[in-house]
Amino acid sequence: MFLPADNSKTKSDLPRGCTFSASDWHILASFWHPVAFVHDIADKPVRAKLLDVDLVIYKTASGITVARDLCPHRGTRISAGWMVDDQIVCPMHGLHFGHDGACSKIPSIANSEGRIPPKLRLETYASVERYGIIWACLKNDPIWQLPEWEGISNPDFRKVYVPKGTWYAAASRHVENFNDVAHFPWVHTQSFGGNTADPIPPYDVDQTDYGLRFELPYHEGFNRFDDGVEGDSRDVVYTYELTYPFSTIIKIDPKGSDYVAYFADTVCPVSARETLIFQLMTDTTGNPDTEYWIKDALLINDEDKPMVEEQHPEELPLDLTEEIHVPSDRMSLEYRRGLVRNFGLGAPIVS
């Protein structure tokens, strides 16, 4: 019912009900993560959640602000408010806050200007817009770069934005699945999977400045590409580029033409077992078929989602002795090693 009388001196900087270990939370809070599509932020505040922290996203003439979804006056979720005169308004007492989070008006005080304490401000976070996505970092100094996405970054190529989806699984499990190739013929039977009798050829994984990269030839059991090449199936080359911790772009190069498709996937770790999926694509036609590619992406996601949501343990095992590995798991192994080696994620529990 009551917080301790000395709570301000003893409270943790972790969010209440945090589902991550303290060590992992602080590390992950130092990365950029996607929290919204830019096109979803209009004239009303939008709720989001990142690493168990409730966020509000709002737009003013100065740009987009990402802040903790909490009015510092009496703890109301300010995302339930509205925008007036280029400011977000608290729905409980009408306090006004600007782009920088500072309070500019307290309606219950006559002529409140000059009487507003500097501490009366929203807790704002670093944010940036790239690729039509709003990225946020909960720490002051991000430790890793945003992904550099070939094709997606080309301003002459129109982008297709896949509707966001929530998976009740760890972000790391989703990312590992997205970068796994051996499941294609078994799981993607209605979308692009090939013959279950075809083995996955050996491949090398390269360490990069941003994460990991590998190339793989594959025979797709369908022909998904608008490049004029006929046939019921296609030989392609996939190039995967993973930017730590949770972003991947696939360059898909079908043989027989100069056509290339680029499909990007990045995820928001809402909590330790809930993940919000952001995906977008483009191709070298410069004008991909929106309806077709959204349908294709959603079908693939629907095939993957139940598999990933039912994996156990729910957490990604960073102790490599806990699961059995096969040669096609090379990317998975390098990903798990990199999370530990580069960032210290999955630190041992100290008893």
Side-chain angles (χ1 to χ4, degrees), residues 21 25 82 107 115 129 141 144 149 155 157 246 248 278 289 301 303 305:
S21 71
W25 188 90
W82 50 89
R115 302 176 62 184
E129 299 174 34
D141 298 309
W144 207 247
W149 284 339
F157 292 176
F246 305 134
T248 305
F278 293 81
D289 185 327
N301 288 339
E303 291 172 323
K305 182 179 178 182

Side-chain angles (χ1 to χ4, degrees), residues 220-231:
E220 292 196 356
F222 299 76
N223 188 353
R224 303 185 288 157
F225 310 106
D226 184 20
D227 61 355
V229 177
E230 297 183 356

Side-chain angles (χ1 to χ4, degrees), residues 15-27:
R16 296 187 71 180
C18 184
T19 57
F20 301 84
S21 71
S23 174
D24 283 353
W25 188 90
H26 284 291
I27 294 168

Side-chain angles (χ1 to χ4, degrees), residues 296-315:
D296 182 74
L298 293 179
L299 174 58
I300 293 170
N301 288 339
D302 285 344
E303 291 172 323
D304 278 325
K305 182 179 178 182
M307 297 291 174
V308 177
E309 289 186 332
E310 295 183 357
Q311 283 183 285
H312 285 84
E314 292 87 346
E315 303 85 359

